[in-house]
């Protein structure tokens, strides 16, 4: 069975010490990375959970509204249920794009300095 992952390097990497990890954790650069991640992920997570709970509550307590026909046999419940899937995929796509553009380069810079000892 072939894999695309190269075999592990024979060179032994020196792992950073605990003090080095603490120093990086307390650095302004790491704080900015953490703030950038949290300022995007937390509000989006809260918004999605609220949207999901709204759907559940409407399903339980607003049966007449959810049963309202939109077109043919398609009702509001089906439209909102499909919208749940759509928003899940859109949020994942949006996060992946943002992480690749803004978070990953910062994280990679920190990682390479930690591994390189620079």
């Amino acid at each position: 069975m072939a894999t695309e992952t190269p075999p592990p390097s024979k060179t032994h990497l020196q792992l950073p010490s605990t003090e080095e990890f603490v120093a990086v954790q307390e650095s302004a650069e790491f704080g900015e990375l953490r703030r950038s991640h949290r300022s995007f992920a937390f509000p989006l997570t809260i918004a999605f959970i609220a949207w999901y709970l709204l759907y559940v509550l409407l399903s339980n307590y607003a049966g007449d509204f959810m049963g309202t026909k939109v077109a043919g046999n398609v009702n509001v419940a089906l439209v909102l249920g499909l919208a749940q899937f759509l928003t899940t995929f859109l949020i994942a796509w949006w996060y992946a794009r943002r992480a690749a553009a803004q978070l990953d380069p910062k994280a990679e810079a920190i990682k390479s300095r930690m591994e390189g000892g620079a």
Side-chain angles (χ1 to χ4, degrees):
M1 178 193 311
T3 64
E4 296 191 21
T5 306
S9 173
K10 301 273 187 207
T11 61
H12 186 324
L13 291 177
Q14 180 66 27
L15 294 177
S17 67
T18 302
E19 292 80 19
E20 291 170 319
F21 274 113
V22 170
V24 168
Q25 182 182 6
E26 293 172 349
S27 72
E29 183 181 23
F30 187 78
E32 174 57 34
L33 175 63
R34 187 176 2 177
R35 258 187 311 283
S36 180
H37 173 262
R38 288 179 178 175
S39 68
F40 183 77
F42 288 2
L44 208 53
T45 300
I46 291 167
F48 184 79
I49 290 172
W51 158 229
Y52 175 73
L53 290 175
L54 174 67
Y55 177 71
V56 171
L57 291 172
L58 287 173
S59 295
N60 283 321
Y61 300 110
D64 291 337
F65 170 71
M66 295 296 270
T68 303
K69 301 281 185 190
V70 175
N73 287 330
V74 177
N75 61 16
V76 172
L78 180 61
V79 171
L80 293 179
L82 292 174
Q84 288 285 319
F85 286 102
L86 179 64
T87 54
T88 300
F89 291 116
L90 286 174
I91 288 170
W93 170 79
W94 190 16
Y95 179 80
R97 280 187 50 138
R98 181 174 164 90
Q102 296 179 11
L103 302 177
D104 292 349
K106 292 176 186 177
E108 187 59 39
I110 293 170
K111 178 183 171 201
S112 64
R113 269 199 312 283
M114 290 288 291
E115 290 176 345

